């Protein structure tokens, strides 16, 4: 990130970061939960500052978590509480054991959990501990290393998995 920012600065390219906004379009609400005006948030490292977004469409809500880890999860739990409760969770940090803490999952309580992770990745993600923790929440787990791309389609009343193959 720092090298990219330095390079863009040399080229006089403006850099804008998303921060705590709400976008509405076509019946969808997208909440940007990152808040760069918060003093604590500014102390977080780049993984912890990954894009954290909640999308709401009709009866369904999604939480996109990027690579956030334990410290950032604690921050979001304190800042947003039950607002983090969603139907579908993009599991933080590829299912690393440094994320998906119990207090975080207690609030999020997803019905479906999606783990974006490469096949036979060098980090051995997702962690078996995280898989077991998610199973304790009776969430249906989908993993990209096992099924490939995971696509969902919703009309706001129903949600379906799209067979992209």
């Amino acid at each position: 990130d720092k090298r990219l920012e330095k390079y863009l600065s040399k080229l006089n390219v403006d850099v804008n970061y998303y921060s705590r906004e709400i976008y509405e379009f076509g019946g969808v609400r997208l909440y940007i939960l990152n808040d760069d005006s918060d003093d604590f948030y500014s102390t977080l490292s780049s993984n912890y500052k990954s894009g954290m977004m909640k999308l709401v469409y009709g009866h369904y809500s999604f939480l996109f978590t990027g690579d956030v880890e334990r410290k950032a999860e604690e921050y979001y739990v304190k800042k947003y509480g039950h607002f983090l409760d969603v139907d579908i969770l993009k599991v933080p940090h590829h299912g690393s054991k440094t994320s998906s803490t119990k207090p975080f999952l207690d609030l999020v309580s997803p019905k479906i959990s999606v783990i974006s992770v490469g096949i036979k990745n060098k980090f051995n993600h997702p962690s078996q501990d995280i898989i077991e923790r998610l199973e304790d929440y009776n969430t249906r787990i989908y993993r990209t290393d096992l099924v490939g791309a995971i696509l969902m389609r919703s009309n706001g009343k129903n949600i379906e998995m799209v067979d992209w193959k």
Side-chain angles (χ1 to χ4, degrees):
D1 290 346
K2 298 214 185 285
R3 288 189 326 198
L4 176 61
E5 288 173 0
K6 188 175 181 179
Y7 178 72
L8 293 174
S9 177
K10 271 187 190 177
L11 298 175
N12 293 317
V13 174
D14 287 336
V15 176
N16 296 307
Y17 294 94
Y18 47 81
S19 181
R20 202 167 161 134
E21 297 180 59
I22 301 172
Y23 297 96
E24 294 187 58
F25 46 93
V28 173
R29 287 190 118 198
L30 178 65
Y31 300 86
I32 307 297
L33 304 181
N34 302 66
D35 187 355
D36 65 1
S37 69
D38 185 303
D39 289 337
F40 179 75
Y41 182 82
S42 65
T43 69
L44 298 173
S45 68
S46 62
N47 261 7
Y48 295 141
K49 290 182 180 178
S50 283
M52 182 73 109
M53 297 171 238
K54 181 175 179 175
L55 185 136
V56 179
Y57 181 50
H59 300 297
Y60 291 94
S61 55
F62 301 75
L63 187 62
F64 299 97
T65 60
D67 275 348
V68 300
E69 297 179 60
R70 181 176 292 113
K71 188 175 179 183
E73 288 179 3
E74 290 170 0
Y75 167 80
Y76 286 109
V77 162
K78 285 179 190 169
K79 186 160 185 89
Y80 293 103
H82 290 286
F83 184 72
L84 298 177
D85 182 23
V86 294
D87 302 296
I88 296 103
L89 169 67
K90 197 296 282 172
V91 174
H93 202 142
H94 316 285
S96 163
K97 62 183 171 185
T98 61
S99 64
S100 301
T101 61
K102 187 172 178 350
F104 179 76
L105 291 175
D106 282 346
L107 285 174
V108 176
S109 64
K111 294 172 185 66
I112 296 173
S113 294
V114 176
I115 303 174
S116 177
V117 62
I119 298 170
K120 297 182 182 178
N121 63 86
K122 68 180 181 180
F123 301 105
N124 290 321
H125 291 154
S127 162
Q128 186 58 38
D129 291 343
I130 298 307
I131 296 295
E132 291 170 10
R133 186 173 301 150
L134 289 167
E135 287 171 345
D136 288 344
Y137 287 85
N138 296 315
T139 182
R140 187 177 312 145
I141 302 169
Y142 293 95
R143 297 171 45 173
T144 59
D145 61 331
L146 300 178
V147 300
I150 297 168
L151 302 172
M152 296 178 195
R153 179 175 29 225
S154 177
N155 60 8
K157 295 178 183 172
N158 300 301
I159 194 160
E160 65 178 328
M161 301 300 291
V162 176
D163 183 0
W164 61 274
K165 294 176 185 176

mmCIF file of all heavy atoms in Angstrom, residues 40-64:
data_model
loop_
_atom_site.group_PDB
_atom_site.id
_atom_site.type_symbol
_atom_site.label_atom_id
_atom_site.label_comp_id
_atom_site.label_asym_id
_atom_site.label_seq_id
_atom_site.Cartn_x
_atom_site.Cartn_y
_atom_site.Cartn_z
ATOM 1 N N PHE A 40 -8.875 5.861 17.008
ATOM 2 C CA PHE A 40 -8.424 4.476 17.149
ATOM 3 C C PHE A 40 -8.245 3.830 15.784
ATOM 4 O O PHE A 40 -7.267 3.142 15.534
ATOM 5 C CB PHE A 40 -9.402 3.645 17.991
ATOM 6 C CG PHE A 40 -8.965 2.211 18.131
ATOM 7 C CD1 PHE A 40 -7.928 1.877 18.982
ATOM 8 C CD2 PHE A 40 -9.562 1.214 17.388
ATOM 9 C CE1 PHE A 40 -7.498 0.564 19.103
ATOM 10 C CE2 PHE A 40 -9.144 -0.106 17.494
ATOM 11 C CZ PHE A 40 -8.108 -0.433 18.356
ATOM 12 N N TYR A 41 -9.171 4.070 14.877
ATOM 13 C CA TYR A 41 -9.107 3.492 13.538
ATOM 14 C C TYR A 41 -7.798 3.883 12.856
ATOM 15 O O TYR A 41 -7.173 3.085 12.171
ATOM 16 C CB TYR A 41 -10.309 3.941 12.710
ATOM 17 C CG TYR A 41 -10.340 3.358 11.322
ATOM 18 C CD1 TYR A 41 -10.834 2.084 11.091
ATOM 19 C CD2 TYR A 41 -9.854 4.079 10.235
ATOM 20 C CE1 TYR A 41 -10.854 1.537 9.819
ATOM 21 C CE2 TYR A 41 -9.871 3.540 8.957
ATOM 22 C CZ TYR A 41 -10.368 2.271 8.760
ATOM 23 O OH TYR A 41 -10.377 1.732 7.505
ATOM 24 N N SER A 42 -7.355 5.120 13.067
ATOM 25 C CA SER A 42 -6.138 5.591 12.405
ATOM 26 C C SER A 42 -4.896 4.861 12.904
ATOM 27 O O SER A 42 -3.864 4.897 12.239
ATOM 28 C CB SER A 42 -5.986 7.102 12.575
ATOM 29 O OG SER A 42 -5.787 7.417 13.939
ATOM 30 N N THR A 43 -4.956 4.173 14.039
ATOM 31 C CA THR A 43 -3.802 3.429 14.561
ATOM 32 C C THR A 43 -3.726 2.014 13.995
ATOM 33 O O THR A 43 -2.737 1.319 14.214
ATOM 34 C CB THR A 43 -3.852 3.321 16.101
ATOM 35 O OG1 THR A 43 -4.940 2.466 16.491
ATOM 36 C CG2 THR A 43 -3.982 4.681 16.758
ATOM 37 N N LEU A 44 -4.753 1.580 13.277
ATOM 38 C CA LEU A 44 -4.797 0.214 12.774
ATOM 39 C C LEU A 44 -3.870 0.025 11.572
ATOM 40 O O LEU A 44 -3.655 0.949 10.795
ATOM 41 C CB LEU A 44 -6.226 -0.159 12.379
ATOM 42 C CG LEU A 44 -7.270 -0.154 13.492
ATOM 43 C CD1 LEU A 44 -8.662 -0.373 12.911
ATOM 44 C CD2 LEU A 44 -6.954 -1.201 14.540
ATOM 45 N N SER A 45 -3.350 -1.206 11.413
ATOM 46 C CA SER A 45 -2.501 -1.522 10.258
ATOM 47 C C SER A 45 -3.371 -1.751 9.024
ATOM 48 O O SER A 45 -4.593 -1.794 9.113
ATOM 49 C CB SER A 45 -1.669 -2.770 10.551
ATOM 50 O OG SER A 45 -2.514 -3.902 10.626
ATOM 51 N N SER A 46 -2.750 -1.938 7.868
ATOM 52 C CA SER A 46 -3.503 -2.019 6.608
ATOM 53 C C SER A 46 -4.491 -3.178 6.566
ATOM 54 O O SER A 46 -5.604 -3.016 6.077
ATOM 55 C CB SER A 46 -2.560 -2.062 5.412
ATOM 56 O OG SER A 46 -1.744 -3.207 5.475
ATOM 57 N N ASN A 47 -4.135 -4.375 7.047
ATOM 58 C CA ASN A 47 -5.104 -5.478 7.050
ATOM 59 C C ASN A 47 -6.326 -5.115 7.881
ATOM 60 O O ASN A 47 -7.457 -5.410 7.514
ATOM 61 C CB ASN A 47 -4.488 -6.766 7.614
ATOM 62 C CG ASN A 47 -4.037 -7.714 6.536
ATOM 63 O OD1 ASN A 47 -4.046 -7.392 5.354
ATOM 64 N ND2 ASN A 47 -3.631 -8.895 6.939
ATOM 65 N N TYR A 48 -6.077 -4.482 9.004
ATOM 66 C CA TYR A 48 -7.173 -4.104 9.893
ATOM 67 C C TYR A 48 -8.072 -3.040 9.270
ATOM 68 O O TYR A 48 -9.211 -2.877 9.669
ATOM 69 C CB TYR A 48 -6.639 -3.608 11.230
ATOM 70 C CG TYR A 48 -5.913 -4.648 12.048
ATOM 71 C CD1 TYR A 48 -4.785 -4.321 12.768
ATOM 72 C CD2 TYR A 48 -6.365 -5.963 12.110
ATOM 73 C CE1 TYR A 48 -4.124 -5.266 13.538
ATOM 74 C CE2 TYR A 48 -5.708 -6.911 12.874
ATOM 75 C CZ TYR A 48 -4.584 -6.559 13.586
ATOM 76 O OH TYR A 48 -3.945 -7.492 14.340
ATOM 77 N N LYS A 49 -7.528 -2.303 8.313
ATOM 78 C CA LYS A 49 -8.295 -1.252 7.653
ATOM 79 C C LYS A 49 -8.963 -1.739 6.371
ATOM 80 O O LYS A 49 -9.473 -0.947 5.597
ATOM 81 C CB LYS A 49 -7.394 -0.065 7.325
ATOM 82 C CG LYS A 49 -6.950 0.705 8.542
ATOM 83 C CD LYS A 49 -6.103 1.876 8.119
ATOM 84 C CE LYS A 49 -5.651 2.675 9.315
ATOM 85 N NZ LYS A 49 -4.793 3.793 8.931
ATOM 86 N N SER A 50 -8.953 -3.027 6.142
ATOM 87 C CA SER A 50 -9.616 -3.576 4.952
ATOM 88 C C SER A 50 -11.041 -3.063 4.878
ATOM 89 O O SER A 50 -11.660 -2.755 5.901
ATOM 90 C CB SER A 50 -9.669 -5.102 5.036
ATOM 91 O OG SER A 50 -8.432 -5.659 4.734
ATOM 92 N N GLY A 51 -11.550 -3.034 3.662
ATOM 93 C CA GLY A 51 -12.911 -2.561 3.470
ATOM 94 C C GLY A 51 -13.920 -3.381 4.255
ATOM 95 O O GLY A 51 -13.982 -4.591 4.125
ATOM 96 N N MET A 52 -14.676 -2.721 5.108
ATOM 97 C CA MET A 52 -15.728 -3.364 5.892
ATOM 98 C C MET A 52 -17.030 -2.723 5.446
ATOM 99 O O MET A 52 -17.236 -1.519 5.636
ATOM 100 C CB MET A 52 -15.495 -3.153 7.377
ATOM 101 C CG MET A 52 -16.507 -3.826 8.262
ATOM 102 S SD MET A 52 -16.300 -5.614 8.340
ATOM 103 C CE MET A 52 -15.699 -5.781 9.982
ATOM 104 N N MET A 53 -17.887 -3.527 4.802
ATOM 105 C CA MET A 53 -19.114 -2.988 4.224
ATOM 106 C C MET A 53 -20.297 -3.904 4.513
ATOM 107 O O MET A 53 -20.156 -5.118 4.497
ATOM 108 C CB MET A 53 -18.962 -2.863 2.710
ATOM 109 C CG MET A 53 -17.886 -1.916 2.301
ATOM 110 S SD MET A 53 -17.574 -2.013 0.545
ATOM 111 C CE MET A 53 -15.853 -2.431 0.557
ATOM 112 N N LYS A 54 -21.427 -3.278 4.759
ATOM 113 C CA LYS A 54 -22.674 -4.013 4.917
ATOM 114 C C LYS A 54 -23.594 -3.621 3.769
ATOM 115 O O LYS A 54 -23.796 -2.438 3.504
ATOM 116 C CB LYS A 54 -23.335 -3.691 6.254
ATOM 117 C CG LYS A 54 -24.643 -4.455 6.470
ATOM 118 C CD LYS A 54 -25.228 -4.229 7.855
ATOM 119 C CE LYS A 54 -26.533 -4.993 8.027
ATOM 120 N NZ LYS A 54 -27.046 -4.884 9.400
ATOM 121 N N LEU A 55 -24.123 -4.634 3.106
ATOM 122 C CA LEU A 55 -25.043 -4.417 1.998
ATOM 123 C C LEU A 55 -26.401 -4.980 2.401
ATOM 124 O O LEU A 55 -26.475 -6.101 2.910
ATOM 125 C CB LEU A 55 -24.527 -5.129 0.743
ATOM 126 C CG LEU A 55 -25.346 -4.887 -0.509
ATOM 127 C CD1 LEU A 55 -24.394 -4.615 -1.670
ATOM 128 C CD2 LEU A 55 -26.199 -6.083 -0.829
ATOM 129 N N VAL A 56 -27.446 -4.186 2.208
ATOM 130 C CA VAL A 56 -28.804 -4.620 2.545
ATOM 131 C C VAL A 56 -29.670 -4.477 1.300
ATOM 132 O O VAL A 56 -29.714 -3.407 0.675
ATOM 133 C CB VAL A 56 -29.401 -3.774 3.699
ATOM 134 C CG1 VAL A 56 -30.821 -4.217 4.019
ATOM 135 C CG2 VAL A 56 -28.512 -3.861 4.941
ATOM 136 N N TYR A 57 -30.342 -5.584 0.959
ATOM 137 C CA TYR A 57 -31.261 -5.573 -0.180
ATOM 138 C C TYR A 57 -32.477 -6.405 0.197
ATOM 139 O O TYR A 57 -32.375 -7.617 0.385
ATOM 140 C CB TYR A 57 -30.577 -6.136 -1.426
ATOM 141 C CG TYR A 57 -31.455 -6.149 -2.656
ATOM 142 C CD1 TYR A 57 -32.155 -5.012 -3.057
ATOM 143 C CD2 TYR A 57 -31.587 -7.284 -3.420
ATOM 144 C CE1 TYR A 57 -32.955 -5.005 -4.189
ATOM 145 C CE2 TYR A 57 -32.380 -7.303 -4.560
ATOM 146 C CZ TYR A 57 -33.061 -6.167 -4.933
ATOM 147 O OH TYR A 57 -33.859 -6.170 -6.046
ATOM 148 N N GLY A 58 -33.608 -5.742 0.331
ATOM 149 C CA GLY A 58 -34.829 -6.444 0.725
ATOM 150 C C GLY A 58 -34.663 -7.129 2.068
ATOM 151 O O GLY A 58 -34.255 -6.512 3.045
ATOM 152 N N HIS A 59 -34.939 -8.441 2.086
ATOM 153 C CA HIS A 59 -34.873 -9.221 3.324
ATOM 154 C C HIS A 59 -33.466 -9.694 3.663
ATOM 155 O O HIS A 59 -33.267 -10.341 4.683
ATOM 156 C CB HIS A 59 -35.774 -10.456 3.228
ATOM 157 C CG HIS A 59 -37.212 -10.134 2.992
ATOM 158 N ND1 HIS A 59 -37.977 -9.424 3.877
ATOM 159 C CD2 HIS A 59 -38.023 -10.424 1.941
ATOM 160 C CE1 HIS A 59 -39.202 -9.292 3.399
ATOM 161 N NE2 HIS A 59 -39.262 -9.885 2.219
ATOM 162 N N TYR A 60 -32.482 -9.406 2.824
ATOM 163 C CA TYR A 60 -31.147 -9.976 3.004
ATOM 164 C C TYR A 60 -30.084 -8.922 3.269
ATOM 165 O O TYR A 60 -30.134 -7.816 2.745
ATOM 166 C CB TYR A 60 -30.747 -10.805 1.765
ATOM 167 C CG TYR A 60 -31.586 -12.041 1.668
ATOM 168 C CD1 TYR A 60 -32.734 -12.056 0.895
ATOM 169 C CD2 TYR A 60 -31.262 -13.174 2.399
ATOM 170 C CE1 TYR A 60 -33.531 -13.187 0.839
ATOM 171 C CE2 TYR A 60 -32.054 -14.307 2.351
ATOM 172 C CZ TYR A 60 -33.185 -14.308 1.568
ATOM 173 O OH TYR A 60 -33.986 -15.425 1.524
ATOM 174 N N SER A 61 -29.114 -9.334 4.086
ATOM 175 C CA SER A 61 -27.989 -8.459 4.383
ATOM 176 C C SER A 61 -26.696 -9.262 4.316
ATOM 177 O O SER A 61 -26.659 -10.450 4.646
ATOM 178 C CB SER A 61 -28.157 -7.820 5.766
ATOM 179 O OG SER A 61 -28.340 -8.822 6.747
ATOM 180 N N PHE A 62 -25.660 -8.588 3.857
ATOM 181 C CA PHE A 62 -24.344 -9.186 3.662
ATOM 182 C C PHE A 62 -23.315 -8.340 4.399
ATOM 183 O O PHE A 62 -23.427 -7.112 4.423
ATOM 184 C CB PHE A 62 -23.953 -9.162 2.181
ATOM 185 C CG PHE A 62 -24.899 -9.877 1.262
ATOM 186 C CD1 PHE A 62 -26.125 -9.326 0.923
ATOM 187 C CD2 PHE A 62 -24.548 -11.104 0.710
ATOM 188 C CE1 PHE A 62 -26.990 -9.974 0.047
ATOM 189 C CE2 PHE A 62 -25.399 -11.756 -0.163
ATOM 190 C CZ PHE A 62 -26.628 -11.195 -0.494
ATOM 191 N N LEU A 63 -22.288 -8.989 4.932
ATOM 192 C CA LEU A 63 -21.177 -8.264 5.540
ATOM 193 C C LEU A 63 -19.901 -8.682 4.825
ATOM 194 O O LEU A 63 -19.536 -9.860 4.818
ATOM 195 C CB LEU A 63 -21.066 -8.553 7.037
ATOM 196 C CG LEU A 63 -20.037 -7.730 7.806
ATOM 197 C CD1 LEU A 63 -20.376 -6.234 7.764
ATOM 198 C CD2 LEU A 63 -19.950 -8.199 9.258
ATOM 199 N N PHE A 64 -19.238 -7.702 4.194
ATOM 200 C CA PHE A 64 -17.983 -7.929 3.501
ATOM 201 C C PHE A 64 -16.869 -7.410 4.407
ATOM 202 O O PHE A 64 -16.898 -6.247 4.812
ATOM 203 C CB PHE A 64 -17.980 -7.198 2.151
ATOM 204 C CG PHE A 64 -19.075 -7.677 1.241
ATOM 205 C CD1 PHE A 64 -20.277 -6.993 1.161
ATOM 206 C CD2 PHE A 64 -18.911 -8.832 0.490
ATOM 207 C CE1 PHE A 64 -21.299 -7.434 0.329
ATOM 208 C CE2 PHE A 64 -19.934 -9.287 -0.343
ATOM 209 C CZ PHE A 64 -21.132 -8.589 -0.421
#
